[in-house]
Amino acid sequence: MSLPKPEIPRKLLHTRSIRVQAYEREDGLMDLEAELVDFKGYDFHRIDGMINRAGEHVHDMTLRITIDTDYTIVDAQASYAAAPYGASCMSITPAYRDLVGMNLLKNFRRQVKERFARTEGCTHMTELSQVLPTAAVQANAGARRKQVAQDAQKRPFQLDGCHALSTGGPIVLKYYPRWYTGRHDGEQDEAAAAVSPGTSP
């Protein structure tokens, strides 16, 4: 569902876009490439006195990591196409090799914040890294479905991981009934109706 059209006239101030692409490698590993781009909707004077035109990138950075099948990072590279302080910003890129050895599913965000805190990292590159765990999980969704089919006794890891997949809710009742923990009286009928509005349970 789209947002309603704004009722008050407005002008663009800032745009930030984050894109992550995942690649299956022939050696069995996976590459994740995350890109962050910032630009303004107006011209402004930079600290060096030059004019940054509307739409011209203020930040344009990419972080590539390579992970194994256990989500452990085995390689990491950072790069900049644009940064507000040029070479001073870009000089931090070698530090992001320290992502190697971290596991995306084991306290990754906390470890990154600790390792690259304040002057030890780039605020935006560190922020970009935070999207990697969920992107990796999504990229592996097909493989996970195959594994779940092979091991039907194992509780799917995503249950109770978000509002829609609450084990007491209608989605789990419909698609993962074995793991449904809601009440099995009149409330079960309500949950079923929520999945298929207008139909009888």
Short mmCIF file of all heavy atoms in Angstrom, two decimals, residues 11 42 66 75 116 126 156 160 184:
data_model
loop_
_atom_site.label_atom_id
_atom_site.label_comp_id
_atom_site.label_asym_id
_atom_site.label_seq_id
_atom_site.Cartn_x
_atom_site.Cartn_y
_atom_site.Cartn_z
N LYS A 11 9.32 20.50 -0.36
CA LYS A 11 10.45 20.39 -1.27
C LYS A 11 11.43 19.38 -0.72
O LYS A 11 11.56 19.20 0.49
CB LYS A 11 11.13 21.75 -1.47
CG LYS A 11 11.73 22.36 -0.21
CD LYS A 11 12.38 23.71 -0.52
CE LYS A 11 12.99 24.32 0.75
NZ LYS A 11 13.65 25.61 0.46
N TYR A 42 19.11 20.38 -3.00
CA TYR A 42 19.42 21.79 -3.24
C TYR A 42 20.94 21.95 -3.33
O TYR A 42 21.70 21.09 -2.89
CB TYR A 42 18.88 22.65 -2.09
CG TYR A 42 19.34 22.18 -0.73
CD1 TYR A 42 20.55 22.61 -0.17
CD2 TYR A 42 18.58 21.26 0.00
CE1 TYR A 42 20.98 22.15 1.06
CE2 TYR A 42 19.01 20.79 1.24
CZ TYR A 42 20.21 21.25 1.76
OH TYR A 42 20.64 20.79 2.98
N THR A 66 32.33 -11.28 2.06
CA THR A 66 32.16 -12.65 1.59
C THR A 66 31.92 -13.52 2.82
O THR A 66 32.67 -13.42 3.81
CB THR A 66 33.42 -13.15 0.85
OG1 THR A 66 33.68 -12.26 -0.25
CG2 THR A 66 33.21 -14.55 0.32
N ASP A 75 36.00 -12.51 4.03
CA ASP A 75 36.70 -11.42 3.33
C ASP A 75 35.83 -10.18 3.42
O ASP A 75 34.59 -10.28 3.53
CB ASP A 75 36.94 -11.79 1.87
CG ASP A 75 37.95 -10.87 1.18
OD1 ASP A 75 38.64 -10.11 1.91
OD2 ASP A 75 38.04 -10.89 -0.05
N PHE A 116 34.27 -0.33 15.60
CA PHE A 116 34.38 0.86 14.76
C PHE A 116 33.75 2.09 15.40
O PHE A 116 33.27 2.99 14.72
CB PHE A 116 33.75 0.59 13.39
CG PHE A 116 34.38 -0.57 12.66
CD1 PHE A 116 33.75 -1.80 12.62
CD2 PHE A 116 35.61 -0.44 12.04
CE1 PHE A 116 34.33 -2.88 11.95
CE2 PHE A 116 36.20 -1.51 11.39
CZ PHE A 116 35.57 -2.73 11.34
N THR A 126 29.83 2.15 8.91
CA THR A 126 29.39 1.29 10.01
C THR A 126 27.88 1.12 9.97
O THR A 126 27.37 0.00 10.15
CB THR A 126 29.84 1.88 11.35
OG1 THR A 126 31.27 1.91 11.39
CG2 THR A 126 29.33 1.04 12.52
N PRO A 156 11.24 -23.71 12.81
CA PRO A 156 11.79 -22.66 11.95
C PRO A 156 12.33 -21.49 12.78
O PRO A 156 11.66 -21.00 13.69
CB PRO A 156 10.58 -22.24 11.10
CG PRO A 156 9.71 -23.46 11.08
CD PRO A 156 9.86 -24.07 12.45
N ASP A 160 8.53 -16.07 15.91
CA ASP A 160 8.65 -15.11 17.01
C ASP A 160 9.76 -14.09 16.77
O ASP A 160 10.17 -13.37 17.69
CB ASP A 160 8.86 -15.80 18.37
CG ASP A 160 7.56 -16.37 18.93
OD1 ASP A 160 6.48 -15.80 18.64
OD2 ASP A 160 7.62 -17.38 19.65
N HIS A 184 -6.72 -22.61 21.55
CA HIS A 184 -7.46 -23.46 20.63
C HIS A 184 -8.94 -23.50 20.96
O HIS A 184 -9.57 -24.53 20.96
CB HIS A 184 -6.88 -24.88 20.64
CG HIS A 184 -5.53 -24.96 20.02
ND1 HIS A 184 -5.33 -25.08 18.66
CD2 HIS A 184 -4.29 -24.87 20.56
CE1 HIS A 184 -4.03 -25.10 18.40
NE2 HIS A 184 -3.39 -24.97 19.53
#
